[in-house]
Amino acid sequence: MARRHDPHRRQRIIEAAVEVISESGLPALTHRTAAARADVPLGSTTYHFLSLDELLDAAVHTVAERNVARLRDWARSLPSDADLSTELASFIVLLAGEHRQTSVLAYELYGGALRRPALRAASTSWDEMLTDVFTSKVDVTTARALTALFNGLLFQALVSPGKPKHADLDQVLRRLLR
């Protein structure tokens, strides 16, 4: 078991929850599975998170913040004259390939908000953060549409049996961004 004084225990429990969901899906997460993965007593999880929804909310925020940080870094790295549809298509291919596990996890948590109202605020904040990033490149209305399209295209890329084709993604994105 972890040592008695552990100032990072709460964060370790959140990381453990993220790992459990990533490996086994949302239904696998319980206080007990998080405690076992974090190597802490079961009482630690219920001390830091009074309900499973609180733990899920923390996991959603953690995953969303990481994904948005990746998106912000991507947006900052773009040259001012970059072709946004081509760059977004490349980013979706990257997220569906190299970062597939994190992307699947994000959508698993996002989808969990359908049945768990306590997760909805964290899930909608993901959309707001995405729109905020896109607003740095396009107007607000287009950014909202781009958020919906980006989410849909990435989700389709993740559930499709084959690898996403850059040209197909670029074509759809280009239509919206015209």
Side-chain angles (χ1 to χ4, degrees), residues 124-147:
T124 56
S125 72
W126 159 252
D127 288 336
E128 291 165 4
M129 289 184 275
L130 230 104
T131 300
D132 182 52
V133 169
F134 292 147
T135 301
S136 70
K137 302 292 180 191
V138 295
D139 66 89
V140 175
T141 302
T142 304
R144 286 186 187 126
L146 191 54
T147 295

Side-chain angles (χ1 to χ4, degrees), residues 101-121:
Q101 185 175 7
T102 304
S103 298
V104 168
L105 173 61
Y107 281 106
E108 179 121 26
L109 293 169
Y110 191 82
L114 292 170
R115 300 221 185 260
R116 294 178 182 266
L119 297 181
R120 290 184 184 155

Side-chain angles (χ1 to χ4, degrees), residues 5 7 31 36 70 73 79-80 96 102 165-167:
H5 176 69
H31 280 284
R70 183 177 290 126
D73 290 345
S80 59
T102 304
K165 293 187 172 96
H166 184 279

Side-chain angles (χ1 to χ4, degrees), residues 83-124:
D83 182 328
L84 188 56
S85 61
T86 298
E87 296 295 338
L88 273 170
S90 295
F91 193 56
I92 291 170
V93 169
L94 177 73
L95 292 176
E98 186 178 326
H99 298 290
R100 179 178 176 73
Q101 185 175 7
T102 304
S103 298
V104 168
L105 173 61
Y107 281 106
E108 179 121 26
L109 293 169
Y110 191 82
L114 292 170
R115 300 221 185 260
R116 294 178 182 266
L119 297 181
R120 290 184 184 155
S123 294
T124 56

